[in-house]
Amino acid sequence: MRDDPDDLHPRGAAPAGGPGQGRSGLDQPRILAAAVRFIDENGLRMLTMQRLGAYLGVEGMALYRYVPGREALLDGVVDTVVDELFSDPDVHLQAHAGWVDYLQRLAHGLRRIALAHPEVFPLVATRPPAAPWVRPPLRSLRWIESLLQVMTDAGFSDENAAAVYRAFSSFLLGSLLLEVSARGVETGPVEEPDVTPTEDLSRYPILQRLEPHLSVDVAAEDFEEALEALLDRIALLLPRRRRPSRLAEGN
Amino acid sequence: MRDDPDDLHPRGAAPAGGPGQGRSGLDQPRILAAAVRFIDENGLRMLTMQRLGAYLGVEGMALYRYVPGREALLDGVVDTVVDELFSDPDVHLQAHAGWVDYLQRLAHGLRRIALAHPEVFPLVATRPPAAPWVRPPLRSLRWIESLLQVMTDAGFSDENAAAVYRAFSSFLLGSLLLEVSARGVETGPVEEPDVTPTEDLSRYPILQRLEPHLSVDVAAEDFEEALEALLDRIALLLPRRRRPSRLAEGN
DNA sequence: ACCTGAACACCGTTCAAGT
DNA sequence: ACCTGAACACCGTTCAAGT
């Protein structure tokens, strides 16, 4: 995934930058933002070059002047959404009160993104990364650098910092994908009122009994608990010196 | 994951199937099995009705006699792959030596499936579940029932059994999707030898320094460790009575 | 400079027609 | 009973032509 925004709009040699550049004000960032909104509103399956064109008041072919093709468009959508982290006032590349605070803010920032764009997140989760050491969902070189920086500064070895990045990615990927996929089925695809209502549950008595417990939405609590458990586990990697006690505190 | 569309043929199989019901021996299970093999060999992006037809020695439209459409075909592919759990000699619905053994075998069974079908797994992870309480990747009612049965039999409350199912799903989803996506980029899409070799790493000094640690494949070890940590966390949910000590032991 | 019409190869899907 | 040819609506993509 490209992380260099300059690479994305290579408009060389500053053009006439006045208010009226082009009739429709088409533009790569504008197209990507429109694509994100389109997916949010209509679902990924509805996104087609021609429909996105119409959404922007233009024929589909016009987009090819700004985007190399559909695949690149999807990559751009993923980058656009992940880059919202940079404008999240509660998440900062630099300022933080220790690695625990940093990872907590980062995790919550990514959760906000996933919940704001539930139809986009599966794309964030499954698009093949650009390099083997880029792990979804934190697929931005700047953020990976930042995380590794914070962890090594906090006293983690290089190896452990890398392990933390992997474990953190795995946690976020699992938690958030599970949450958006559960949310997605609530507001599911508008189907005919199933003739076989929810499949025959009578063959699964335990499932039937626990159904209330399984249907209740405790995703937020689950996320907090799993995050705390992960942070505790990470803290155990620190050299013995002065490991912050993280058992039972109230965040 | 090939990108050039020539020569998409089954590796060893004769096009005409078994003893003759119908000329081509077409059949829903046979079509689904062929689809799985096709995706394994050519990647999900290459799967089209016409190519799958050709793969089976038939025109694409012939498939519509056995499968309602492409979406249903993909659902069937997911089910087919997950159902491999039933024929895994190391995983059993009933026989097991306690819940820890059960969850360990189940986790490793799903990991084997993910690694055997890395191109299918993203589908297992992201297809919208049929019901809100079905969580990927363990999206089989029989297995959900089995897991809940084992956990409640082991003394977990209904509520905790449900929480275990969610936490277990989240762990598997994150770990396995991360692993197959990393594996997928190793054997990535055959691209032109990037002119900008791996993007400009010089702007990310920590990333550059830790690159060896990030590139090394320790997915198996990471999986074991995260699984052990999860099992420890689950054990804490048990009533105080006689909780098996699970701190520091050799699997 | 920017957009559109027309064209091409391919897709999913339906259905009458063949065997 | 099972498969195919032909047809339809829609895709992604290219490119000459319009403005």
Side-chain angles (χ1 to χ4, degrees):
Chain A
M1 246 37 18
R2 33 193 61 271
D3 203 68
D4 189 350
D6 296 344
D7 211 352
L8 280 178
H9 16 286
R11 70 278 187 211
Q21 85 260 15
R23 261 232 284 274
S24 3
L26 233 46
D27 198 340
Q28 207 193 48
R30 224 174 301 248
I31 290 175
L32 294 179
V36 171
R37 276 195 55 188
F38 185 96
I39 299 174
D40 286 344
E41 295 169 9
N42 307 106
L44 179 58
R45 303 186 46 241
M46 296 302 287
L47 183 76
T48 200
M49 296 305 277
Q50 1 227 0
R51 280 203 276 251
L52 180 58
Y55 192 77
L56 284 159
V58 108
E59 296 298 317
M61 309 86 86
L63 305 177
Y64 286 88
R65 228 158 256 278
Y66 306 93
V67 172
R70 187 174 196 267
E71 291 302 295
L73 176 74
L74 294 182
D75 284 338
V77 163
V78 167
D79 289 345
T80 302
V81 156
V82 171
D83 284 355
E84 287 182 20
L85 268 182
F86 291 112
S87 51
D88 186 324
D90 201 49
V91 187
H92 306 280
L93 272 168
Q94 308 292 348
H96 60 271
W99 64 270
V100 172
D101 176 63
Y102 176 88
L103 290 182
Q104 278 173 336
R105 288 177 191 272
L106 187 51
H108 287 116
L110 274 161
R111 180 160 184 263
R112 276 189 292 272
I113 289 177
L115 295 183
H117 308 285
E119 296 282 345
V120 178
F121 195 76
L123 223 49
V124 176
T126 57
R127 284 248 115 194
W133 32 265
V134 171
R135 257 85 180 183
L138 195 62
R139 34 200 321 162
S140 150
L141 295 191
R142 281 175 69 195
W143 278 107
I144 300 171
E145 174 80 5
S146 158
L147 187 152
L148 296 174
Q149 171 93 260
V150 167
M151 297 313 289
T152 52
D153 284 359
F156 289 83
S157 71
D158 286 6
E159 190 176 355
N160 281 340
V164 167
Y165 170 54
R166 287 193 304 269
F168 191 64
S169 301
S170 175
F171 155 72
L172 288 174
L173 198 57
S175 303
L176 298 182
L177 198 54
L178 207 68
E179 187 167 359
V180 303
S181 103
R183 277 235 194 306
V185 74
E186 277 170 22
T187 11
V190 243
E191 289 172 39
E192 313 307 303
D194 253 339
V195 183
T196 52
T198 331
E199 194 157 356
D200 188 14
L201 265 195
S202 64
R203 287 162 54 207
Y204 307 101
I206 321 273
L207 202 42
Q208 205 170 4
R209 192 179 84 228
L210 300 208
E211 206 252 62
H213 293 296
L214 292 165
S215 298
V216 69
D217 182 5
V218 285
E221 294 88 328
D222 280 0
F223 185 80
E224 296 306 326
E225 275 179 40
L227 176 56
E228 290 302 310
L230 176 66
L231 293 174
D232 287 342
R233 190 152 77 89
I234 292 174
L236 294 176
L237 296 174
L238 267 185
R240 291 255 158 222
R241 275 193 300 126
R242 207 196 38 193
R243 180 188 303 158
S245 166
R246 295 199 25 76
L247 306 175
E249 109 277 26
N251 184 27
Chain B
M1 171 96 97
R2 340 168 74 282
D3 239 321
D4 58 275
D6 359 77
D7 200 29
L8 304 172
H9 291 296
R11 275 172 313 180
Q21 80 267 21
R23 260 231 288 274
S24 1
L26 232 44
D27 197 339
Q28 208 195 49
R30 225 174 300 246
I31 290 175
L32 293 179
V36 171
R37 279 195 53 188
F38 185 97
I39 298 174
D40 286 344
E41 294 169 11
N42 306 105
L44 180 58
R45 302 186 44 237
M46 296 301 288
L47 182 77
T48 103
M49 297 303 279
Q50 3 226 358
R51 281 204 275 250
L52 180 57
Y55 191 77
L56 284 158
V58 108
E59 297 298 319
M61 308 86 85
L63 305 178
Y64 286 88
R65 221 152 266 274
Y66 307 92
V67 171
R70 188 174 196 266
E71 291 301 295
L73 176 75
L74 294 181
D75 284 336
V77 163
V78 168
D79 289 344
T80 301
V81 158
V82 171
D83 284 355
E84 286 182 21
L85 269 182
F86 291 112
S87 51
D88 187 325
D90 200 48
V91 187
H92 306 281
L93 272 168
Q94 309 293 346
H96 60 270
W99 63 270
V100 171
D101 177 62
Y102 176 87
L103 290 182
Q104 278 174 335
R105 287 178 192 272
L106 187 51
H108 287 116
L110 273 161
R111 179 161 183 263
R112 276 189 292 272
I113 289 177
L115 295 183
H117 308 286
E119 296 282 344
V120 179
F121 195 77
L123 223 49
V124 177
T126 58
R127 283 251 115 193
W133 32 267
V134 172
R135 258 87 181 181
L138 193 65
R139 35 198 321 159
S140 149
L141 294 192
R142 281 175 67 194
W143 278 107
I144 301 172
E145 174 81 5
S146 158
L147 186 152
L148 295 174
Q149 171 94 259
V150 168
M151 297 313 288
T152 51
D153 284 359
F156 290 83
S157 71
D158 286 6
E159 190 176 354
N160 281 339
V164 166
Y165 170 53
R166 288 193 303 268
F168 191 64
S169 301
S170 175
F171 155 73
L172 288 174
L173 198 56
S175 303
L176 299 182
L177 198 52
L178 207 68
E179 186 167 0
V180 302
S181 103
R183 277 237 193 304
V185 74
E186 278 170 20
T187 8
V190 241
E191 288 172 40
E192 313 309 305
D194 254 339
V195 183
T196 52
T198 332
E199 196 156 356
D200 186 15
L201 264 197
S202 64
R203 287 163 54 205
Y204 307 100
I206 320 272
L207 203 40
Q208 204 170 5
R209 192 179 86 228
L210 300 208
E211 207 253 61
H213 293 297
L214 292 165
S215 298
V216 69
D217 183 6
V218 285
E221 295 88 328
D222 281 0
F223 185 81
E224 296 305 328
E225 277 179 38
L227 176 56
E228 290 302 311
L230 176 66
L231 294 174
D232 287 343
R233 190 151 78 87
I234 292 175
L236 294 176
L237 294 175
L238 267 186
R240 292 252 157 224
R241 275 194 299 126
R242 205 196 40 195
R243 180 188 302 159
S245 166
R246 295 196 29 77
L247 306 176
E249 106 279 27
N251 185 28

